[in-house]
Structures are given as C-alpha cells and as structure tokens.
Amino acid sequence: MDDAEDQALIEAFKRGEESAFTALVIKYREPVYRIARRIVRSHEDAADVAQEVFIRAHRALPRFAGRSRLRTWLFRIAVNLCLDLAARRSRDVLSGLRELRWAPSPHDNPVELSERRELGEAVGGAIDALPPRQRAMVVLRVYQDLPYAEIARIMGCAEGTVKATMFAAFGKLRRALAPYVRGEAAG
Amino acid sequence: MSARAMSCREARDVVLEALTGAVAPDVRLRLNRHLEACARCRLEAGIYEDVAGALRSSPEPRLPPGHWEEFMARLDRALQADRRRPAARISRWLRVPRHAWSVAVATAALIAALVFSLPEAPSPPPAAQPSGPVGLPVLHPYVTESIIRAQPAMGTSLAVWKAGFGATDTPFDPPGGE
C-alpha cells in the first residue's frame, strides 16, 4: 500500500509534477529528521541533513529504478550524510545530548520527573558514546522499528553484520545502563 | 504439529531482534517456549528487555515551533536554486517522455543526414598491374619464371581455383597431363 503510493508519486514526479515531490517530502521529512537528530545529536545539524537528503533525492529521483523501497533509499542517504558529518565533526560530544534531555511537562510528578530525567540523561549518554555506525543501527532498530534486513540495505552491509553490531552495541548499552537494568543491578 | 525446540545458541541469536522489534511469529513462539524452560536465557532476555525499554523511554526530541514551515520554505528555495543549474534544467526537460523521444528522433535524423550528405571520397587510382608471365593469371609479382617452370600446372590450377571448383567451363588441361 505504502510502496504503491510511493511508486505513484515517483511516476508523477518523473512526468514533471513537482507537487508529487512535495507530497513525498511531507511524508518522509519527519522520520528522516528524527533519524538524523538521534545520530548527529543537534537540531541544526539534523535539519541540515534532512534538507540535503531531499535536495539529493530531488536530483536523483528521475533515475530511481525502484530496486529498493523509497523509504530505504531515503534513510540510506540520511544515514550516509550523518556518518559523513560525524566523521567530519568529533567536536562537542555533549552538545546534542543537552538538546535531547527530557523536556518536562507541567503535569509530571516531581519525583517521577526527576527519575525520568536521570534515566533520559543516562540513555542519551549511553547512545552518544556508541560509535556512529552502531548508533545508526540502534536508532534504526529501536526508534524506527525497522527489520534487520532493511537496516542491512540502509547500512550497505550483510544482515549478519547488523546482528553482530547490534549485539556489540547492546553489550555497551547494557554496561552503561547497568544501574537501571534489573538483572544487572541484582547481579 | 509442534515447532522444533530452540537451542540456547539460537535463542541468543534472536532474542535481541525479538526484544527490539518485529520478528516472524513462529520465531517468537519458539523463543518464548525456550525462555519458559531456560532460566539462564530468561535472565539474559530480561536484561536486554530492560535496556531496550530504557532506550525507548528516551524522549522524542522536541521541534521548535514553526519548524516544518521554515523547513519547507528553505527546501523550496534550495530546490529553486538547484533548478536554475543548466544541467538540472536539461535533465528536467528530458524527464518528459515526449521531449526525450523528440531528442532521440532528432538525433537519429541528424546522424542520417550527415551520413547521406557527406561527399563520397574519391576512389584511389587503380594500381599498375604487375606484369606476370604471359598466359598466366597474375597472382603475385613474386611468382617468377623459375617458380612457374618448377610448377608447370600452376597457371591452370589457379584458373580453376579462381573460377570455383564447381565451374564447368574452365578447362583443366595440365601441361604434360593426359
């Protein structure tokens, strides 16, 4: 259903209908931005990445052969741009973390709020400490709910590599979040 | 029919995938059965489940108000600047199938016109025939009198060969033959 809709929009764009491209942007801008935001950490960088994703898509879409899903293709552009950016910038590891901190709601219980804020900070720190490729895979799996096969296509690697990388990443997350994990705290 | 039981190794292989998202229903069923029976794997799964839960509890980043309006306006400006590039204009024009076909037909017509309008190159003057021995077809200037004397039937053989072996009007009359 989703793929058929995407295909129809791509065909319309190839016929010269710019509004079809706008419809695709509206459909995918949010997940593209959220993936970028989790990987590159700052709002400005994530917004720049998302812009660049759609500029590149606009240029390349006429040649898009449909061998992969449009979503996979866009996420792949996004992840590659994020990894390039992460490689260029090793600056201020904590800058984005601060932006991802828990934003309180006026209805939150103060004790609960404090606990959630603490957990949120611990999680943010643990994700940020992962190498960029591991972070990208964790983001695609945990926050976008993508199957391993699709993550493999996005990351340009084998499904087995995704499995192994996820294990390595979760091993690190498990150690970093040990105080918040029941089995680990007890053991 | 009951599904094959899952080993601890298989369970370790799929537990993370099952805890962080979707897996095939039969795999999940087999994993659940294994976890019910294996305390060690159940403990591991519990830890990963807590890690995944902690990750999911991390808040979605909040967007500044008016972010998407500003995003679309900025993207529109960037795409308009991109559209002004000559390569982009040509590519966009060619994207229309009618234009692409017109260009293909025009190119083919141009090539055909060029091929037919080119003046035919003057043919080189015929090379001077080397003079061979009288009565023999000239095969090569290096076929000398001494070669012909050594092979007296060569001239007739060559005439038959040139006419084709199926030809009936070429007499084969080797000198010295019957």
Side-chain angles (χ1 to χ4, degrees):
Chain A
M1 169 74 187
D2 230 27
D3 288 347
E5 184 187 81
D6 287 354
Q7 200 50 46
L9 289 170
I10 292 166
E11 290 307 321
F13 176 65
K14 284 183 178 177
R15 286 194 304 270
E17 288 176 36
E18 281 293 322
S19 59
F21 185 75
T22 307
L24 287 173
V25 174
I26 291 170
K27 183 173 178 185
Y28 286 109
R29 63 189 182 186
E30 187 127 5
V32 164
Y33 167 81
R34 292 202 181 282
I35 288 171
R37 179 83 183 259
R38 294 265 182 200
I39 301 174
V40 299
R41 307 176 194 122
S42 87
H43 165 70
E44 284 76 20
D45 285 346
D48 287 348
V49 165
Q51 286 273 324
E52 190 59 28
V53 167
F54 290 111
I55 290 169
R56 289 188 186 198
H58 189 266
R59 279 184 205 150
L61 206 52
R63 296 186 302 278
F64 180 72
R67 279 190 294 274
S68 66
R69 297 170 72 183
L70 181 73
R71 179 180 81 170
T72 309
W73 185 64
L74 290 172
F75 288 1
R76 185 173 184 156
I77 299 174
V79 167
N80 285 339
L81 285 169
C82 290
L83 295 180
D84 286 350
L85 191 70
R88 283 203 306 274
R89 292 185 188 172
S90 52
R91 57 141 178 85
D92 194 11
V93 175
L94 294 174
S95 67
L97 258 183
R98 281 191 288 273
E99 289 192 55
L100 278 179
R101 293 290 176 259
W102 190 266
S105 139
H107 309 293
D108 284 334
N109 171 317
V111 177
E112 202 179 290
L113 177 68
S114 163
E115 284 173 359
R116 281 160 69 191
R117 183 182 286 136
E118 189 189 321
L119 177 62
E121 291 194 0
V123 168
I127 293 177
D128 272 3
L130 294 174
R133 278 185 75 81
Q134 286 185 8
R135 197 186 316 148
M137 286 189 197
V138 168
V139 166
L140 292 170
R141 181 64 180 173
V142 175
Y143 299 108
Q144 292 297 323
D145 237 351
L146 299 186
Y148 277 12
E150 190 168 355
I151 296 174
R153 284 193 290 276
I154 291 169
M155 303 298 298
C157 63
E159 208 176 319
T161 309
V162 177
K163 253 183 203 177
T165 310
M166 284 291 287
F167 256 105
F170 262 70
K172 288 176 191 168
L173 292 169
R174 174 181 171 168
R175 283 191 292 279
L177 298 171
Y180 307 95
V181 175
R182 279 168 297 166
E184 295 285 60
Chain B
M1 200 176 87
S2 68
R4 188 173 55 85
M6 190 177 265
S7 68
C8 289
R9 191 189 167 135
E10 278 180 284
R12 276 199 300 274
D13 232 28
V14 296
V15 72
L16 193 53
E17 195 174 356
L19 291 171
T20 53
V23 286
D26 63 311
V27 174
R28 189 175 290 279
L29 183 72
R30 288 173 60 219
L31 175 67
N32 287 345
R33 280 191 191 149
H34 177 85
L35 294 179
E36 277 167 22
C38 178
R40 202 171 142 207
C41 287
R42 199 163 54 241
L43 177 70
E44 281 287 298
I47 292 168
Y48 282 128
E49 193 172 14
D50 281 0
V51 174
L55 293 177
R56 289 219 168 89
S57 76
S58 166
E60 278 296 326
R62 293 220 174 142
L63 289 167
H67 167 75
W68 290 121
E69 288 78 6
E70 205 253 322
F71 178 90
M72 294 307 279
R74 205 177 128 204
L75 181 64
D76 197 43
R77 284 195 298 276
L79 292 181
Q80 273 180 17
D82 206 49
R83 275 186 210 115
R84 282 194 287 272
R85 290 180 314 132
R89 293 173 73 169
I90 293 168
S91 145
R92 203 172 54 255
W93 190 79
L94 281 174
R95 213 188 297 156
V96 180
R98 192 161 49 86
H99 293 166
W101 277 108
S102 310
V103 170
V105 170
T107 309
L110 186 66
I111 290 168
L114 278 173
V115 167
F116 288 113
S117 66
L118 280 178
E120 206 171 301
S123 50
Q129 290 288 323
S131 54
V134 180
L136 283 177
V138 177
L139 180 69
H140 196 278
Y142 299 113
V143 179
T144 59
E145 289 284 350
S146 57
I147 294 172
I148 292 166
R149 269 198 301 278
Q151 297 286 329
M154 189 172 70
T156 316
S157 304
L158 282 173
V160 170
W161 178 73
K162 284 184 82 178
F165 290 108
T168 51
D169 54 344
T170 306
F172 180 69
D173 186 18
E178 292 188 10

Coordinates of all heavy atoms in Angstrom, one line a residue, chain A residues 52-114:
Chain A
E52 N 19.4 18.3 3.0 CA 20.3 17.8 2.0 C 19.7 16.4 1.4 O 19.9 16.2 0.2 CB 21.7 17.6 2.6 CG 22.8 17.2 1.6 CD 23.0 18.2 0.5 OE1 22.7 19.4 0.7 OE2 23.4 17.8 -0.6
V53 N 19.1 15.7 2.3 CA 18.5 14.4 1.8 C 17.5 14.7 0.7 O 17.6 14.0 -0.4 CB 17.8 13.6 3.0 CG1 16.9 12.5 2.5 CG2 18.8 13.1 4.0
F54 N 16.7 15.7 0.9 CA 15.6 15.9 -0.1 C 16.1 16.6 -1.3 O 15.6 16.4 -2.4 CB 14.4 16.6 0.6 CG 13.7 15.7 1.5 CD1 13.7 16.0 2.9 CD2 13.0 14.6 1.1 CE1 13.1 15.1 3.8 CE2 12.3 13.8 1.9 CZ 12.4 14.0 3.3
I55 N 17.2 17.4 -1.2 CA 17.8 18.0 -2.3 C 18.4 16.9 -3.2 O 18.2 16.9 -4.4 CB 18.8 19.1 -1.9 CG1 18.2 20.3 -1.3 CG2 19.7 19.5 -3.1 CD1 19.1 21.3 -0.6
R56 N 19.1 16.0 -2.6 CA 19.7 14.9 -3.4 C 18.7 14.0 -4.0 O 18.8 13.5 -5.1 CB 20.7 14.1 -2.4 CG 21.9 14.9 -2.1 CD 22.9 14.0 -1.4 NE 24.0 14.9 -1.0 CZ 25.2 14.5 -0.6 NH1 25.4 13.2 -0.6 NH2 26.1 15.3 -0.3
A57 N 17.6 13.8 -3.2 CA 16.5 12.9 -3.7 C 15.9 13.6 -4.9 O 15.6 12.9 -5.9 CB 15.5 12.7 -2.6
H58 N 15.7 14.9 -4.9 CA 15.1 15.6 -6.0 C 16.0 15.5 -7.3 O 15.4 15.3 -8.4 CB 15.0 17.1 -5.6 CG 14.2 17.9 -6.6 ND1 14.8 18.6 -7.6 CD2 12.8 18.1 -6.7 CE1 13.8 19.2 -8.3 NE2 12.6 18.9 -7.8
R59 N 17.3 15.5 -7.1 CA 18.2 15.4 -8.2 C 18.2 13.9 -8.8 O 18.2 13.7 -10.0 CB 19.6 15.7 -7.8 CG 19.9 17.2 -7.8 CD 21.4 17.4 -7.5 NE 21.6 18.7 -6.9 CZ 22.5 19.0 -6.0 NH1 23.4 18.1 -5.6 NH2 22.6 20.2 -5.5
A60 N 18.1 13.0 -7.9 CA 18.3 11.6 -8.3 C 17.1 10.8 -8.5 O 17.1 9.8 -9.2 CB 19.2 10.9 -7.2
L61 N 15.9 11.3 -8.1 CA 14.7 10.6 -8.2 C 14.3 10.2 -9.7 O 13.8 9.2 -9.9 CB 13.5 11.4 -7.5 CG 12.4 10.5 -7.0 CD1 12.8 9.4 -6.2 CD2 11.3 11.4 -6.3
P62 N 14.6 11.1 -10.6 CA 14.3 10.7 -12.0 C 15.0 9.5 -12.4 O 14.6 8.8 -13.3 CB 14.8 11.9 -12.8 CG 14.7 13.1 -11.9 CD 15.1 12.5 -10.6
R63 N 16.1 9.1 -11.8 CA 16.9 7.9 -12.2 C 16.6 6.8 -11.2 O 17.2 5.7 -11.3 CB 18.4 8.2 -12.2 CG 18.8 9.2 -13.2 CD 20.3 9.4 -13.2 NE 20.9 9.8 -12.0 CZ 21.0 11.0 -11.5 NH1 20.5 12.0 -12.3 NH2 21.5 11.3 -10.4
F64 N 15.7 7.0 -10.2 CA 15.4 6.0 -9.2 C 14.7 4.8 -9.9 O 13.6 4.9 -10.5 CB 14.5 6.6 -8.1 CG 14.1 5.6 -7.0 CD1 15.0 5.2 -6.1 CD2 12.8 5.1 -6.9 CE1 14.7 4.4 -5.1 CE2 12.5 4.2 -5.9 CZ 13.4 3.9 -5.0
A65 N 15.4 3.6 -9.8 CA 14.9 2.5 -10.6 C 13.9 1.6 -9.8 O 13.3 0.7 -10.4 CB 16.1 1.6 -11.0
G66 N 13.8 1.9 -8.5 CA 12.8 1.2 -7.7 C 13.3 -0.2 -7.3 O 12.5 -1.1 -7.0
R67 N 14.6 -0.4 -7.3 CA 15.2 -1.7 -6.8 C 15.0 -1.9 -5.3 O 14.9 -2.9 -4.8 CB 16.6 -1.9 -7.2 CG 16.8 -2.3 -8.7 CD 18.2 -2.7 -8.9 NE 19.1 -1.5 -8.8 CZ 19.4 -0.7 -9.9 NH1 18.8 -0.9 -11.0 NH2 20.1 0.4 -9.7
S68 N 15.0 -0.7 -4.6 CA 14.7 -0.8 -3.2 C 13.5 0.1 -2.9 O 13.0 0.8 -3.8 CB 15.9 -0.3 -2.4 OG 16.1 1.1 -2.6
R69 N 13.0 0.0 -1.7 CA 11.8 0.9 -1.3 C 12.3 2.3 -1.2 O 13.5 2.6 -0.9 CB 11.3 0.4 0.0 CG 10.7 -1.0 0.0 CD 10.4 -1.4 1.4 NE 9.2 -0.7 1.9 CZ 8.7 -0.9 3.1 NH1 9.3 -1.7 4.0 NH2 7.6 -0.2 3.5
L70 N 11.4 3.2 -1.5 CA 11.8 4.7 -1.4 C 12.3 5.0 0.0 O 13.3 5.7 0.2 CB 10.6 5.5 -1.8 CG 10.9 7.0 -1.8 CD1 11.8 7.4 -3.0 CD2 9.7 7.9 -1.8
R71 N 11.6 4.5 1.0 CA 11.9 4.7 2.4 C 13.4 4.3 2.7 O 14.2 5.0 3.2 CB 11.0 4.0 3.3 CG 11.2 4.1 4.8 CD 10.3 3.3 5.6 NE 10.6 1.9 5.7 CZ 10.0 1.1 6.5 NH1 9.0 1.5 7.3 NH2 10.4 -0.2 6.6
T72 N 13.7 3.1 2.2 CA 15.1 2.6 2.4 C 16.1 3.5 1.8 O 17.1 3.8 2.3 CB 15.2 1.1 1.8 OG1 14.1 0.4 2.3 CG2 16.5 0.5 2.2
W73 N 15.8 3.9 0.6 CA 16.7 4.8 -0.2 C 16.9 6.1 0.5 O 18.0 6.6 0.7 CB 16.1 5.0 -1.6 CG 16.9 5.7 -2.6 CD1 18.1 5.3 -3.1 CD2 16.6 7.0 -3.2 NE1 18.5 6.3 -4.0 CE2 17.6 7.3 -4.1 CE3 15.5 7.8 -3.1 CZ2 17.6 8.4 -4.8 CZ3 15.5 9.0 -3.8 CH2 16.6 9.3 -4.7
L74 N 15.8 6.7 1.0 CA 15.9 8.0 1.7 C 16.7 7.8 3.0 O 17.5 8.7 3.3 CB 14.5 8.6 1.9 CG 13.7 9.1 0.7 CD1 12.3 9.4 1.1 CD2 14.4 10.3 0.1
F75 N 16.4 6.8 3.7 CA 17.1 6.6 5.0 C 18.5 6.3 4.8 O 19.4 6.7 5.6 CB 16.4 5.4 5.8 CG 15.1 5.7 6.4 CD1 14.5 6.9 6.2 CD2 14.4 4.7 7.1 CE1 13.2 7.2 6.7 CE2 13.1 5.0 7.6 CZ 12.5 6.2 7.4
R76 N 18.8 5.6 3.7 CA 20.2 5.4 3.4 C 21.0 6.7 3.1 O 22.1 6.9 3.6 CB 20.3 4.4 2.2 CG 21.7 4.0 1.9 CD 21.8 3.0 0.8 NE 23.2 2.6 0.7 CZ 23.7 1.4 0.2 NH1 22.8 0.5 -0.2 NH2 24.9 1.2 0.2
I77 N 20.4 7.6 2.3 CA 21.0 8.9 2.1 C 21.2 9.6 3.4 O 22.3 10.1 3.7 CB 20.1 9.7 1.1 CG1 19.9 9.1 -0.2 CG2 20.8 11.1 0.9 CD1 19.0 9.8 -1.2
A78 N 20.2 9.6 4.2 CA 20.2 10.3 5.5 C 21.4 9.7 6.4 O 22.2 10.5 7.0 CB 18.9 10.1 6.3
V79 N 21.4 8.4 6.5 CA 22.4 7.8 7.4 C 23.8 8.1 6.9 O 24.7 8.4 7.6 CB 22.2 6.2 7.5 CG1 23.4 5.5 8.2 CG2 20.9 6.0 8.4
N80 N 24.0 8.0 5.5 CA 25.3 8.3 5.0 C 25.7 9.7 5.2 O 26.9 10.0 5.6 CB 25.4 8.0 3.5 CG 25.4 6.5 3.2 OD1 25.8 5.7 4.1 ND2 25.0 6.1 2.0
L81 N 24.8 10.6 5.1 CA 25.1 12.0 5.4 C 25.5 12.2 6.9 O 26.4 13.0 7.2 CB 23.9 12.9 5.0 CG 23.7 13.2 3.5 CD1 22.4 13.8 3.3 CD2 24.8 14.0 2.9
C82 N 24.7 11.5 7.7 CA 25.0 11.6 9.2 C 26.4 11.1 9.5 O 27.1 11.7 10.3 CB 24.0 10.9 10.0 SG 22.4 11.6 10.0
L83 N 26.7 9.9 8.9 CA 28.0 9.3 9.2 C 29.2 10.2 8.7 O 30.2 10.3 9.3 CB 28.1 7.9 8.6 CG 27.1 6.9 9.2 CD1 27.3 5.5 8.5 CD2 27.3 6.7 10.7
D84 N 28.9 10.8 7.5 CA 29.9 11.8 7.0 C 30.1 12.9 7.9 O 31.2 13.3 8.2 CB 29.5 12.3 5.6 CG 29.6 11.3 4.5 OD1 30.2 10.2 4.8 OD2 29.1 11.5 3.4
L85 N 29.0 13.4 8.4 CA 29.0 14.6 9.3 C 29.7 14.2 10.6 O 30.6 14.9 11.1 CB 27.6 15.1 9.6 CG 27.5 16.4 10.3 CD1 28.0 17.5 9.4 CD2 26.1 16.7 10.7
A86 N 29.4 13.0 11.1 CA 30.0 12.5 12.4 C 31.5 12.4 12.2 O 32.3 12.6 13.1 CB 29.4 11.2 12.8
A87 N 31.9 11.9 11.0 CA 33.3 11.7 10.7 C 34.0 13.1 10.7 O 35.2 13.2 11.1 CB 33.5 10.9 9.4
R88 N 33.4 14.1 10.1 CA 34.0 15.4 10.0 C 34.1 16.1 11.3 O 34.9 16.9 11.6 CB 33.2 16.3 9.0 CG 33.4 15.9 7.5 CD 33.1 17.1 6.6 NE 31.8 17.6 6.9 CZ 30.7 17.1 6.3 NH1 30.8 16.1 5.4 NH2 29.5 17.7 6.5
R89 N 33.1 15.8 12.2 CA 33.0 16.5 13.4 C 33.1 15.6 14.6 O 32.3 14.8 14.9 CB 31.6 17.2 13.6 CG 31.4 18.3 12.6 CD 30.1 19.0 12.9 NE 29.8 19.9 11.9 CZ 28.7 20.6 11.8 NH1 27.8 20.4 12.7 NH2 28.5 21.5 10.9
S90 N 34.2 15.8 15.3 CA 34.3 15.0 16.5 C 34.2 16.0 17.7 O 34.5 15.7 18.8 CB 35.6 14.2 16.6 OG 36.7 15.1 16.4
R91 N 33.7 17.1 17.4 CA 33.6 18.2 18.4 C 32.4 18.0 19.4 O 31.5 17.3 19.0 CB 33.4 19.6 17.7 CG 32.2 19.6 16.8 CD 31.5 20.9 16.9 NE 30.4 21.0 16.0 CZ 29.2 20.5 16.3 NH1 28.9 20.0 17.4 NH2 28.2 20.6 15.4
D92 N 32.6 18.6 20.5 CA 31.5 18.7 21.5 C 30.5 17.6 21.5 O 29.4 17.7 21.2 CB 30.7 20.0 21.2 CG 29.9 20.4 22.4 OD1 30.0 19.8 23.4 OD2 29.0 21.3 22.2
V93 N 31.0 16.5 22.1 CA 30.2 15.3 22.1 C 28.9 15.5 22.9 O 27.9 14.8 22.6 CB 31.1 14.1 22.8 CG1 30.3 12.9 23.0 CG2 32.3 13.8 21.9
L94 N 29.0 16.4 23.8 CA 27.8 16.5 24.7 C 26.8 17.5 24.2 O 25.7 17.7 24.8 CB 28.2 16.9 26.1 CG 29.1 15.9 26.9 CD1 29.6 16.5 28.2 CD2 28.2 14.7 27.1
S95 N 27.1 18.2 23.1 CA 26.2 19.3 22.7 C 24.8 18.8 22.4 O 23.8 19.4 22.9 CB 26.7 20.0 21.4 OG 26.7 19.1 20.4
G96 N 24.7 17.7 21.7 CA 23.3 17.2 21.3 C 22.6 16.6 22.5 O 21.4 16.7 22.6
L97 N 23.4 16.0 23.3 CA 22.8 15.3 24.5 C 22.0 16.3 25.3 O 20.9 16.0 25.7 CB 24.0 14.9 25.4 CG 24.3 13.4 25.4 CD1 25.4 13.2 26.4 CD2 23.1 12.6 25.7
R98 N 22.5 17.5 25.4 CA 21.8 18.5 26.2 C 20.4 18.8 25.5 O 19.4 19.0 26.2 CB 22.6 19.8 26.3 CG 23.7 19.7 27.4 CD 24.3 21.0 27.6 NE 25.1 21.5 26.6 CZ 26.4 21.2 26.4 NH1 27.0 20.4 27.3 NH2 27.1 21.7 25.4
E99 N 20.4 18.8 24.2 CA 19.1 19.0 23.5 C 18.1 17.9 23.6 O 17.0 18.1 23.6 CB 19.4 19.2 22.0 CG 20.1 20.5 21.7 CD 20.1 20.8 20.2 OE1 19.0 20.8 19.7 OE2 21.2 21.0 19.7
L100 N 18.7 16.7 23.8 CA 17.8 15.5 23.9 C 17.3 15.3 25.3 O 16.6 14.3 25.5 CB 18.5 14.3 23.4 CG 18.5 14.1 21.8 CD1 19.2 12.9 21.5 CD2 17.1 14.1 21.3
R101 N 17.7 16.1 26.2 CA 17.3 15.8 27.6 C 15.7 15.9 27.7 O 15.0 16.5 26.9 CB 17.9 16.9 28.5 CG 19.3 16.8 28.7 CD 19.7 15.6 29.4 NE 21.2 15.4 29.5 CZ 21.9 14.6 28.7 NH1 21.3 13.9 27.8 NH2 23.2 14.6 28.8
W102 N 15.3 15.2 28.7 CA 13.8 15.1 29.0 C 13.2 16.5 29.1 O 13.6 17.3 30.0 CB 13.6 14.3 30.2 CG 12.2 13.9 30.4 CD1 11.3 14.6 31.1 CD2 11.5 12.8 29.8 NE1 10.0 14.0 31.0 CE2 10.2 12.9 30.2 CE3 11.9 11.8 29.0 CZ2 9.2 11.9 29.8 CZ3 11.0 10.9 28.6 CH2 9.7 10.9 29.0
A103 N 12.2 16.8 28.3 CA 11.5 18.1 28.5 C 10.3 17.9 29.4 O 9.4 17.1 29.0 CB 11.1 18.6 27.1
P104 N 10.3 18.5 30.5 CA 9.2 18.2 31.5 C 7.9 18.8 31.1 O 7.8 19.8 30.4 CB 9.7 18.9 32.8 CG 10.7 19.9 32.3 CD 11.3 19.5 31.0
S105 N 6.9 18.1 31.5 CA 5.5 18.6 31.3 C 5.0 19.1 32.6 O 5.4 18.6 33.7 CB 4.7 17.4 30.8 OG 3.4 17.4 31.4
P106 N 4.1 20.1 32.7 CA 3.6 20.6 33.9 C 2.9 19.6 34.8 O 2.7 19.8 36.0 CB 2.7 21.8 33.5 CG 2.5 21.7 32.1 CD 3.6 20.8 31.5
H107 N 2.4 18.5 34.1 CA 1.6 17.5 34.9 C 2.5 16.4 35.5 O 2.0 15.6 36.2 CB 0.6 16.9 33.9 CG -0.2 17.9 33.2 ND1 -1.1 18.7 33.8 CD2 -0.2 18.2 31.8 CE1 -1.7 19.5 32.9 NE2 -1.1 19.3 31.7
D108 N 3.8 16.5 35.3 CA 4.7 15.4 35.8 C 4.8 15.6 37.3 O 4.9 16.6 37.9 CB 6.1 15.5 35.2 CG 6.1 15.0 33.7 OD1 5.2 14.1 33.4 OD2 6.9 15.4 33.0
N109 N 4.8 14.4 38.0 CA 5.1 14.3 39.4 C 6.6 14.6 39.6 O 7.4 14.1 38.9 CB 4.7 12.8 39.8 CG 5.2 12.5 41.2 OD1 6.3 12.9 41.6 ND2 4.3 11.8 41.9
P110 N 7.0 15.5 40.6 CA 8.4 15.9 40.7 C 9.3 14.7 40.9 O 10.4 14.7 40.3 CB 8.4 16.8 41.9 CG 7.0 17.3 42.1 CD 6.1 16.2 41.5
V111 N 8.9 13.7 41.7 CA 9.8 12.6 42.0 C 10.0 11.8 40.7 O 11.1 11.5 40.3 CB 9.3 11.7 43.1 CG1 10.2 10.5 43.3 CG2 9.1 12.5 44.4
E112 N 8.9 11.5 40.1 CA 8.9 10.7 38.8 C 9.7 11.5 37.7 O 10.5 10.9 37.0 CB 7.4 10.5 38.4 CG 7.2 9.4 37.4 CD 5.8 9.2 37.1 OE1 5.0 8.9 37.9 OE2 5.5 9.6 35.9
L113 N 9.5 12.8 37.7 CA 10.1 13.6 36.7 C 11.6 13.5 36.9 O 12.4 13.4 35.9 CB 9.7 15.1 36.9 CG 10.3 16.1 36.0 CD1 9.9 15.9 34.6 CD2 9.9 17.5 36.5
S114 N 12.1 13.6 38.2 CA 13.5 13.6 38.4 C 14.1 12.2 38.0 O 15.1 12.2 37.4 CB 13.7 13.8 39.9 OG 15.0 13.4 40.3

